Each structure stands twice: as C-alpha cells, then as structure tokens.
Amino acid sequence: MATAVATPEVLAQATPKAPVNKWLVTLSVTFGTLMGAIDSSIVNVALPQIRGAVGATVQEITWATTGFVIATVMVMPLTGFLGRMFGQKRVYLACLVLFVAGSFLCGLAWNLPTLVLFRFLQGLGAGALQPTEQAILRQTFPPREQGTAMAIFGMAVMVGPAIGPTLGGYIVDNWHWSWIFFINVPVGILGFFMVARFVQEDEQLRATARLEAEKQRKHMDWSGITLLCMGLASLQYFLEEGQADDWFESPVIVLCALLSATCLIAFVIRELTAVAPAVNLRLFKDPVFASGTLLGALVFAVLMASMFLLPVFMQELLGFTATQSGFSLMPRTLVMMLMMPIVGRLYGKVPARVLVGIGIVFAGFGAYEMSHFSLATGSSNIIAAIALQGVGFSLMFVPLSATALGSIPRERMADATGLNSLLRQIGGSVGLAIFTTLLSRYTVLSKASIAAHLNPERWEVASRMAATQKGLMQHGLDAASASMASLQLMVGNVSRQAMVLAFDKLFVLASLMFVVVLPLIYFLKDPPSVGGSHEKPHIDVEI
C-alpha cells in the first residue's frame, strides 16, 4: 500500500495554527541564552574560592573556563546540522537540559577533573542555545521588526557577560560559590517548560529539514565533524592558554597551532566537496552574510578586549572588589538595555553603515577617555567613559547581526546563526588573547622604563625615600626597618604606575583599532530588503 509523502507544498496548505505571540516565544528562548552568556563570565570571579575547594593550582583552575569555551565553540557551527537531524526545538530543549544538568553537577564537583568534565558538559549545552535562539527570533518576527529581534538577542548576548561578574561577586560574597551554578537550575527549568509549551516549529520548515536529514544520514559527514571539533578545540586552547604558556615557547602551544591550522584547512576543503556537508560554508558566498559576519567578528574582538580591560584595572589598581567593580560597570549595562530597543527600531529606517559607523565613533571615543585613567580616577570618570561605550556597543551589535542574516533563506537560518555565533566567539577570544598578552608585555616595558629613572643619587628619589623613611620611623619602625620598608614601598609604587601606563597604552590601542575598523564599514553590504527573504513569521505559538 502506498504511503503519502508529506511534502512542503502539502504542509503549507495545512490548517493554520494560532497566531504567533512573538513576545512569549522571545521570553521562552531568551532564558537559555542569557544563562549561557552569564556563565561565560560569572565563574571568573569565583575562581579563587573554587580553587581552594577542589584543591587546584592557579594554572590548573583555568581549565574550568577553558573547557567550557572549547565545548561551546565545538557545538555552535553544528547547530543547523543537529536541527535538521533531530528538529530545532528538540535540539534547543536537549541542550537546555544538558546545560542545566551540567550546572547542577558543577555545583557538586568534588575535585578538579570532575569540575572540568561538568563544565565541558555545560559548554556543550550552551553552544547551541545562542544560535538557536537567534534563528528562532529571526523566524518569529516579521521583516519590518528584524531589528527589534536582534536587539533582544543582543541584550542577552552582550548584557549577560556584563552582569556576570556583578552577580558572581554578590553570590560569592554572601553565599557559597556553588550557587553560581545552582542558580541556573530553577531558571533553566522554567525556560524548558516555556519553550515546550509555547514554541512550535513551522511545519514547512520541518518537512524541508526531514528531507535534508535523510540525505545527511545517507552521507554522514563524520570526517568533517571530526576535523571541525579537533580544529576548533585546539584553536580555542591556543587562544585561551597561549599567554599563560608563553605562546610559542611552549611545545604544547606550537602543537595546538599546527593542529588547528591543519584540521581547519582540511575541514574547509572537506565541507566544500562533501555531498551533504555538516556545516554549510557556501553561505559565505552571500556577500551580505560574509561582510556582516566577518566585520561583526572583527568588531567583537575589539569590544571584548575593551570590556576585559576595565574590570581588571579597577580590581588590580583601584582596589575594587569583584562586586564593586561589577556595580561600577552597571551604567554601561543600563545604557545598552536602554539603547538596543531604540537601535532595533532605527534599523531599516537608517542605513546599517551609518548606525555601525556612529557606534564605532562612540566606542572609540569611550576607549580614548579611558586612556586618561590614573590611580586617582573616580567613579564619575569611569561612568562617563563606559556610558559612551554602551551607546557604541548597541549601535554596532544590532545592525551587524540583523544585516548579516538579512538575506539568508529561512531554511538556512540555523546554519547561518551557528556560523555567525562561532565567528563572533572566535573574534572575542582573539581580542582577549592579544590584549592579555600586550598587557603583560607593556607592564614589563613600562616598569623597566620607570626604573631607569630611579637613581638613588637623584635628588627627587633620595628626597622621596628620606621622607617615606622618616614617616615610617614616626610610626615606630627602627631606622633599618624603615629604610627597607621605604624601598619596598617605592618598588610597589613603580609596579602600580607601570600597570597604569600599560593600561593607558592598551586603551589608546583599542581606540585606534576602532578607527582602523571604521573604513571597513564600506564593505558592509545591505540586504535586498529589511528582513531579507522572510515574508512571514515561521515559528508558531500555542496559546
């Protein structure tokens, strides 16, 4: 007996479902993305407490972060492949369960190996959440509201890492470190039930995905998946651990560099020749997607480097606690939350190049203002600079994300968002690696430069040492102890001033990098129309 085939044409004529409630969809899928974004930074402030609990060294505990990031980047580009094989909604729910389970297990970790393993599981779950939400929002919102969709996504992606240190610092200061993981459990459970209840995939998309999945099963791209995982894992280890291992002075780092280059080149060749590639690299033939994604990765590299520098400056030099530095950065987060919906509405009315260009100017000027920071810098100076950056970040992120995906067909949206998220993540890792390395080297150079002028025979140096020694003697120290203490204080002051100079150089460099990026917006291509080829919403909601 013949079996009827559910073709996309037949499904398109099926009984229409209830109208889309885009805000319920948005709220449902944002839970997971926000938790994953927060977890990328929240752990950093608790590393000292976690290190003591699991008995790890300073070097070893970094694996708790490295393992999470490696797992995340391995999954991101496979989001489209997994969605076709198992269904987009199922993949999101499965990854959310894996993320929540990994979070719970991280809170129970009893030694370093278990913590790294559970963080890796957590990263595998987090990897698909961002690109899947981005795809769902693109398919849910009508063409005229694509800017709004990317503004909501941008708030989750950008605000998450910004509030992570604040939330983590508060939890560590008031509760046990394990609660930075346990807090994900109730939020994740709520998000799971909301996605299960409200989000439904479009039947025509599911039918198309099933047809492609059959082809994928017949020609499984195991070699492409293997090359991708090996290449990205070694690349991310190279970027995360390179500075700690003195880069190419370490045989392990050299091996990772060679392995990543070899595997990724072989991966590109494989995907361009495979019958059913796991990752659709041919999307980069679209100039709109290619220009938006690559420029977005470059801008994100500078953004992440800029966001990394200021908390370190406040904690290392101004003596702020993790909680205090987090609250000091809150104005930037508030500005972004205020600006992103506005920018979302402007998108489509103002050319993307104009919005991105203005954003680059704001962010660059904010970085330049930071280059004037000193040990006497107060909160008002910090707030003014980071508010400028908040405006700039909002003006850049929304149009870059919306433009990059503007011409992608809806059935390729998950592939495109996976690649877009991957390039953005790698760009951020590259920016952090470069600026972390330069911070260390600039500090050494600045310290040597200052020390060259500290000749004890100079009147200024001798006078300062004598005054310090006299003050210490007035507080009860004998002459010999006061002399030694004054020398130590001088060395400490030199180290702090050297770090200030290093940070100032990096803030100037960040500002100059924004200037260098500015002409590149010429290559940012606008989609044929706002929202590209999306004629209607493609995610249904049951009410």
Side-chain angles (χ1 to χ4, degrees):
M1 183 177 181
T3 302
V5 178
T7 63
E9 290 75 12
V10 173
L11 289 171
Q13 300 173 2
T15 304
K17 294 186 178 182
V20 171
N21 187 320
K22 58 192 176 186
W23 301 115
L24 278 176
V25 174
T26 300
L27 183 62
S28 301
V29 297
T30 300
F31 277 118
T33 300
L34 185 60
M35 286 191 301
I38 290 175
D39 259 61
S40 66
S41 61
I42 192 174
V43 175
N44 295 335
V45 299
L47 288 180
Q49 290 81 0
I50 297 175
R51 184 170 67 86
V54 300
T57 65
V58 174
Q59 181 69 21
E60 290 171 341
I61 198 61
T62 59
W63 271 101
T65 301
T66 303
F68 178 85
V69 178
I70 288 176
T72 300
V73 299
M74 287 169 56
V75 174
M76 279 181 173
L78 295 173
T79 303
F81 169 81
L82 295 172
R84 286 187 292 273
M85 293 292 288
F86 306 107
Q88 187 169 272
K89 179 179 175 180
R90 289 179 180 176
V91 169
Y92 186 92
L93 291 174
C95 287
L96 186 57
V97 169
L98 185 60
F99 176 81
V100 172
S103 298
F104 180 75
L105 292 172
C106 284
L108 300 177
W110 54 91
N111 56 29
L112 182 63
T114 56
L115 176 63
V116 174
L117 173 62
F118 298 151
R119 281 285 282 170
F120 188 82
L121 293 175
Q122 194 186 30
L124 289 177
L129 297 179
Q130 278 192 29
T132 305
E133 184 203 354
Q134 197 174 8
I136 289 174
L137 291 180
R138 290 288 303 193
Q139 295 162 350
T140 299
F141 281 72
R144 65 182 180 277
E145 297 180 3
Q146 290 299 304
T148 301
M150 290 302 96
I152 296 168
F153 175 73
M155 282 194 287
V157 172
M158 297 294 291
V159 173
I163 66 175
T166 307
L167 179 60
Y170 181 81
I171 291 174
V172 170
D173 290 343
N174 294 277
W175 296 308
H176 192 264
W177 63 265
S178 58
W179 280 99
I180 65 175
F181 299 112
F182 290 152
I183 197 174
N184 290 330
V185 176
V187 180
I189 292 174
L190 176 61
F192 178 89
F193 283 110
M194 290 189 68
V195 171
R197 171 66 179 87
F198 298 120
V199 178
Q200 295 296 326
E201 294 178 86
D202 180 84
E203 290 298 334
Q204 185 173 351
L205 284 177
R206 292 178 64 184
T208 303
R210 281 195 292 269
L211 294 175
E212 294 190 11
E214 291 179 6
K215 184 178 180 181
Q216 286 182 168
R217 291 188 181 95
K218 292 179 181 178
H219 307 278
M220 277 299 292
D221 188 18
W222 291 117
S223 58
I225 295 173
T226 302
L227 288 169
L228 174 68
C229 292
M230 291 177 61
L232 289 180
S234 54
L235 173 62
Q236 201 62 43
Y237 182 87
F238 170 80
L239 294 173
E240 292 284 325
E241 302 295 327
Q243 169 60 20
D245 292 343
D246 202 17
W247 293 107
F248 293 104
E249 297 298 321
S250 167
V252 176
I253 295 300
V254 172
L255 177 62
C256 285
L258 293 175
L259 182 63
S260 64
T262 302
C263 289
L264 291 178
I265 291 173
F267 165 73
V268 172
I269 296 173
R270 167 64 187 176
E271 297 311 281
L272 294 178
T273 56
V275 176
V279 180
N280 188 2
L281 297 181
R282 290 183 174 84
L283 288 172
F284 285 105
K285 289 183 177 180
D286 183 341
V288 177
F289 176 72
S291 63
T293 298
L294 296 176
L295 183 58
L298 185 59
V299 168
F300 207 73
V302 187
L303 293 183
M304 290 303 295
S306 300
M307 293 179 70
F308 154 77
L309 290 173
L310 191 53
V312 177
F313 179 86
M314 289 190 293
Q315 293 180 48
E316 293 288 334
L317 296 174
L318 300 185
F320 286 23
T321 65
T323 305
Q324 290 172 333
S325 64
F327 279 115
S328 297
L329 294 173
M330 194 59 68
R332 177 167 60 193
T333 305
L334 296 176
V335 169
M336 291 166 61
M337 293 179 68
L338 176 66
M339 283 295 302
M340 280 193 174
I342 297 175
V343 178
R345 291 187 173 275
L346 289 176
Y347 179 76
K349 301 176 182 178
V350 180
R353 291 177 181 176
V354 174
L355 293 174
V356 174
I358 296 174
I360 290 175
V361 171
F362 269 94
F365 188 67
Y368 177 74
E369 287 295 300
M370 293 179 188
S371 69
H372 296 91
F373 286 176
S374 68
L375 295 176
T377 296
S379 298
S380 59
N381 306 100
I382 295 175
I383 290 173
I386 64 177
L388 289 172
Q389 281 200 328
V391 174
F393 291 176
S394 303
L395 286 166
M396 285 186 283
F397 188 88
V398 174
L400 283 174
S401 298
T403 300
L405 304 173
S407 61
I408 300 298
R410 58 177 184 164
E411 64 271 12
R412 298 295 175 206
M413 190 58 65
D415 296 275
T417 55
L419 289 171
N420 186 268
S421 297
L422 173 67
L423 268 293
R424 188 171 57 245
Q425 179 70 44
I426 291 178
S429 296
V430 170
L432 286 174
I434 292 174
F435 273 69
T436 302
T437 302
L438 291 178
L439 177 60
S440 177
R441 297 185 179 181
Y442 283 170
T443 300
V444 172
L445 293 174
S446 298
K447 190 173 182 178
S449 178
I450 296 174
H453 297 280
L454 294 180
N455 188 336
E457 296 180 0
R458 292 185 59 182
W459 177 85
E460 300 93 335
V461 177
S463 176
R464 178 68 176 268
M465 292 282 290
T468 304
Q469 182 177 352
K470 182 179 179 180
L472 292 172
M473 290 175 65
Q474 290 176 349
H475 284 79
L477 291 182
D478 58 75
S481 299
S483 177
M484 181 62 68
S486 64
L487 179 61
Q488 292 174 344
L489 287 173
M490 179 69 73
V491 172
N493 287 333
V494 168
S495 298
R496 296 181 70 198
Q497 292 294 343
M499 285 196 70
V500 170
L501 292 176
F503 274 105
D504 288 348
K505 288 180 182 178
L506 287 177
F507 286 132
V508 170
L509 178 61
S511 180
L512 291 176
M513 288 180 69
F514 280 118
V515 173
V516 171
V517 169
L518 187 58
L520 298 181
I521 63 174
Y522 171 79
F523 299 101
L524 182 63
K525 305 295 184 181
D526 289 319
S529 61
V530 177
S533 60
H534 307 298
E535 292 93 10
K536 62 179 182 178
H538 303 296
I539 298 288
D540 296 324
V541 178
E542 297 175 348
I543 302 298

